[in-house]
């Protein structure tokens, strides 16, 4: 199979690209930045005709859309997370292409959920940030296209942690602060550690994408991809402290993320994903954090 991975050199896109290539797939990466072996494609600014032309040239059997933005002003987020998917969907129609589309969504689409109840795909979506709102809009566009006949599924990804986690992510920020404290022989400065999250390894996300590309008919328009476990952020910090051997002071007096604090608890219900894809997460938090730390040390 030939698969086009849009955003294939980003964090999740890179893991997905390597996973599919390791299985012998013909993987074509596409992205905004020109680089050897990468098709230039910017869904947020390219015209539909340009995208359709690229799709005809690549002639993929499947498309994975990892492109998007997690930070920026509302206009930038809308361009990446709403205009981008809309352009891709129109491009697929114009190209007359019939590949399966796997689009990466986000747990931020749910917003605040009931504490103690794992969130199912049918739960109300009440995003509390511009990021979550724009990701939800992208998901709804994919669902509308699916209703008109497109073979598509949205994988709603929860908080990723593992090798290469970006500094903008919660685990990446914590690991980076630990690395700084160790280098300077100083204290670790963190924000509040009260929130509870579902952390999933990016390699498990890549396995879920692989499964979504190879399984037969997909009855679910949206599937959760998480670990199915609620982890207090404080426990994640304690695990990283044990891995790094850091014995200095840990102070929780830095400013926290308003977006994070607005959603105190989240855990994915992954029962539907297990059934639909025959998938389950295989890496535990200790493994994910250990491999994250190796990429920083």
């Amino acid at each position: 199979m030939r698969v086009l991975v849009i955003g294939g050199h980003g964090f999740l896109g890179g893991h997905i690209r390597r996973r599919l290539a390791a299985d012998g797939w013909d993987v074509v990466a596409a992205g905004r930045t020109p680089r050897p072996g990468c098709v230039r494609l910017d869904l947020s600014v390219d015209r539909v005709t340009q995208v359709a032309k690229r799709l005809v040239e690549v002639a993929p059997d499947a498309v994975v859309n990892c492109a998007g933005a997690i930070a920026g002003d509302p206009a930038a987020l809308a361009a990446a997370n709403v205009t981008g998917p809309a352009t891709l969907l129109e491009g697929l129609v114009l190209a007359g292409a019939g590949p399966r589309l796997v689009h990466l969504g986000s747990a931020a689409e749910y917003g605040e959920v009931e504490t103690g109840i794992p969130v199912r795909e049918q739960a109300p979506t009440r995003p509390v940030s511009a990021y979550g709102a724009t990701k939800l809009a992208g998901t709804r566009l994919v669902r509308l296209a699916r209703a008109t006949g497109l073979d598509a599924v949205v994988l709603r990804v929860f908080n990723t942690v593992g090798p290469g986690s970006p500094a903008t992510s919660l685990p990446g920020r914590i690991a980076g602060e630990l690395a700084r404290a160790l280098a300077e022989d100083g204290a670790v400065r963190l924000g509040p550690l009260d929130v509870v999250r579902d952390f999933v390894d990016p390699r498990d996300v890549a396995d879920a994408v692989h499964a979504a590309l190879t399984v037969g008919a997909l009855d679910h328009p949206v599937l959760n991809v998480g670990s199915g476990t609620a982890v207090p952020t404080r426990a994640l910090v304690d695990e990283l402290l044990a891995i790094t051997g850091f014995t200095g002071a840990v102070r929780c007096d830095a400013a926290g993320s308003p977006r994070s604090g607005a959603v105190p608890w989240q855990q994915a219900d992954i029962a539907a994903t297990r059934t639909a894809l025959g998938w389950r997460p295989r890496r535990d938090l200790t493994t994910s954090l250990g491999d994250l730390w190796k990429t920083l040390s």
Side-chain angles (χ1 to χ4, degrees), residues 119-121 220 223-224 228 268-279:
V119 61
R120 301 177 62 199
E121 292 85 351
H220 299 273
L223 291 168
N224 287 336
D269 184 325
I270 57 174
T273 313
R274 287 175 180 267
T275 301
L277 303 184
W279 167 91

Side-chain angles (χ1 to χ4, degrees), residues 10-21:
F11 168 54
L12 278 177
H15 281 286
I16 291 166
R17 175 173 49 82
R18 290 186 290 271
R19 169 66 177 88
L20 299 177

Side-chain angles (χ1 to χ4, degrees), residues 124-136:
T125 45
R126 297 173 292 212
V128 299
S129 65
Y131 168 68
T134 56
K135 288 298 290 183
L136 177 59

Side-chain angles (χ1 to χ4, degrees), residues 41-53 87-88 91 94:
L41 189 64
D42 187 345
L43 297 176
S44 62
V45 299
D46 288 350
R47 297 188 301 273
V48 172
T49 52
Q50 293 174 290
V51 173
K53 181 181 178 182
T87 301
L88 174 59
L94 185 60

Side-chain angles (χ1 to χ4, degrees), residues 8 14 20 26 60 64 79 105 145 168-169 178 184 198 205 222 252 257 278 284:
L20 299 177
D26 179 9
V64 181
T168 52
S169 69
L178 268 170
E184 299 175 1
D198 185 315
V205 175
V222 178
C252 302
S257 166
D284 60 21

Side-chain angles (χ1 to χ4, degrees), residues 70-191:
I70 62 173
D73 60 37
L77 289 167
N81 300 333
V82 185
T83 301
T87 301
L88 174 59
L89 294 167
E90 289 186 61
L92 286 166
V93 173
L94 185 60
R100 171 165 293 175
L101 170 65
V102 176
H103 175 79
L104 298 192
S106 169
E109 298 170 36
Y110 288 119
E112 187 173 2
V113 299
E114 186 176 352
T115 298
I117 306 297
V119 61
R120 301 177 62 199
E121 292 85 351
Q122 298 81 12
T125 45
R126 297 173 292 212
V128 299
S129 65
Y131 168 68
T134 56
K135 288 298 290 183
L136 177 59
T139 289
R140 286 178 172 169
L141 288 171
V142 175
R143 294 188 68 161
L144 284 171
R146 174 187 165 96
T148 63
L150 183 71
D151 184 8
V153 65
V154 176
L155 298 186
R156 197 166 266 161
V157 180
F158 281 66
N159 293 68
T160 52
V161 55
S165 288
T168 52
S169 69
L170 177 62
R173 287 199 303 273
I174 294 172
E177 175 62 14
L178 268 170
R180 182 203 61 75
L182 283 166
E184 299 175 1
D185 195 24
V188 171
R189 296 285 305 278
L190 301 172

Side-chain angles (χ1 to χ4, degrees), residues 249-270:
V250 178
R251 297 173 182 156
C252 302
D253 53 3
S257 166
R259 187 181 79 187
S260 179
V263 182
W265 191 94
Q266 230 180 29
Q267 177 186 334
D269 184 325
I270 57 174

